[in-house]
């Protein structure tokens, strides 16, 4: 299976909103409502911020939201803050207890 | 709050076997709600799913690594392990262990800090 496709970079100013896309196929993203998003700061482990397309774990600010349309999932970060500057990765179930990740998007807060 | 910690050699020779262990604390590896997985990240690149295991011993692997990977669980020690054989330089990566909440897809909700494994002679 190929990795999910994410833009390598995204940026926005403090207070703005930014959306990161994650494109897959009918064998993964559009086939299941099992998309997760992870935030990773430099030198740290990834942190789960969205699961099952739209769900936020306890403690994750509601500035983070997820959605899906067809083969593409999206992560929107509203009211950008300096601490949101990080790498973001999507992941999808791909059937047969298999999971795939996107290549990651580096979010810069200008 | 689950805590996971990877351990194992930081340097492995080409063609040999990479072996890592993940110790789970703050919860039982015999949980019926979680699977226990391995994910790696090559330097400067993205994440790659390796596989995961249930406390019963049922293991599932990435199709791309399946021929070289074995994941096992030791419930008496609250640990699970990764063996990757016939390694090459391409297997140099930070290896993470993580818990996955079953029934929710890739809901990897707790992660270890990661351990860098370099493949070199």
């Amino acid at each position: 299976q190929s990795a999910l496709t994410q833009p390598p970079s995204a940026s926005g100013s403090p207070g703005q909103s930014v959306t990161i896309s994650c494109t897959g196929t009918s064998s993964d993203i559009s086939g299941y409502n099992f998309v997760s998003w992870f935030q990773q700061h430099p030198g740290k482990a990834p942190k789960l911020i969205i699961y099952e397309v739209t769900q936020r774990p306890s403690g994750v600010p509601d500035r983070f939201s997820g959605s899906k349309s067809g083969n593409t999932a999206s992560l929107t970060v509203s009211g950008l803050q300096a601490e949101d500057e990080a790498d973001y990765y999507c992941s999808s179930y791909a059937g047969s207890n298999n999971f795939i990740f996107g290549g990651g998007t580096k979010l810069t807060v200008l | 709050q689950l805590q996971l910690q990877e351990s194992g050699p930081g340097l492995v020779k080409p063609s040999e076997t990479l072996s890592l262990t993940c110790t789970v604390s703050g919860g039982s590896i015999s949980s019926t709600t979680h699977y226990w997985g391995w994910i790696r990240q090559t330097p400067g690149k993205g994440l790659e799913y390796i596989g995961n295991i249930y406390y019963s011993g049922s293991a599932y692997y990435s199709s791309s690594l399946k021929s070289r990977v074995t994941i096992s669980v030791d419930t008496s020690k609250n640990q699970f392990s990764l063996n990757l054989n016939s390694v090459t330089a391409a297997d140099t990566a930070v290896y993470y262990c993580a818990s996955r909440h079953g029934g929710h897809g890739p809901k990897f909700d707790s992660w270890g800090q990661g351990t860098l494994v370099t493949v070199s002679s």
Side-chain angles (χ1 to χ4, degrees):
Chain A
Q1 263 131 346
S2 299
L4 303 172
T5 300
Q6 296 182 236
S9 63
S11 62
S13 299
Q16 287 186 332
S17 293
V18 64
T19 296
I20 298 170
S21 63
C22 170
T23 302
T25 70
S26 58
S27 297
D28 37 70
I29 288 183
S30 62
Y32 311 92
N33 284 322
F34 289 138
V35 176
S36 293
W37 289 90
F38 301 88
Q39 177 192 62
Q40 185 180 35
H41 287 108
K44 300 293 188 181
K47 173 189 173 185
L48 178 71
I49 57 172
I50 295 287
Y51 66 97
E52 287 183 356
V53 181
T54 62
Q55 302 302 301
R56 276 188 312 278
S58 168
V60 174
D62 60 6
R63 302 185 295 102
F64 293 91
S65 62
S67 62
K68 188 185 82 165
S69 177
N71 290 343
T72 299
S74 299
L75 172 72
T76 297
V77 186
S78 306
L80 269 177
Q81 299 182 3
E83 68 222 45
D84 299 332
E85 184 161 297
D87 293 328
Y88 291 83
Y89 293 90
C90 60
S91 179
S92 175
Y93 182 60
S96 302
N97 218 297
N98 199 19
F99 305 95
I100 55 174
F101 285 90
T105 298
K106 182 176 180 60
L107 175 60
T108 301
V109 181
L110 301 170
Chain B
Q1 178 76 359
L2 277 175
Q3 294 187 332
L4 294 87
Q5 177 68 58
E6 306 89 351
S7 59
L11 181 63
V12 181
K13 290 182 168 56
S15 80
E16 295 191 345
T17 297
L18 179 160
S19 296
L20 296 173
T21 295
C22 182
T23 301
V24 178
S25 58
S28 173
I29 205 167
S30 298
S31 162
T32 56
T33 59
H34 279 78
Y35 288 72
W36 308 96
W38 291 96
I39 295 157
R40 70 182 183 180
Q41 185 169 32
T42 49
K45 295 197 175 178
L47 300 166
E48 180 181 17
Y49 169 73
I50 299 171
N52 67 179
I53 192 167
Y54 196 53
Y55 79 95
S56 63
S58 297
Y60 307 88
Y61 305 120
S62 158
S63 51
S64 62
L65 293 170
K66 187 173 185 175
S67 63
R68 298 195 291 131
V69 173
T70 302
I71 298 175
S72 58
V73 63
D74 187 335
T75 56
S76 68
K77 296 182 179 178
N78 232 33
Q79 294 176 335
F80 62 106
S81 298
L82 168 71
N83 277 359
L84 179 66
N85 61 38
S86 305
V87 297
T88 69
D91 295 310
T92 294
V94 175
Y95 286 76
Y96 293 99
C97 59
S99 60
R100 183 178 73 80
H101 198 141
H104 297 276
K107 189 183 178 186
F108 293 98
D109 50 10
S110 293
W111 295 64
Q113 65 184 26
T115 187
L116 175 63
V117 179
T118 301
V119 178
S120 175
S121 55

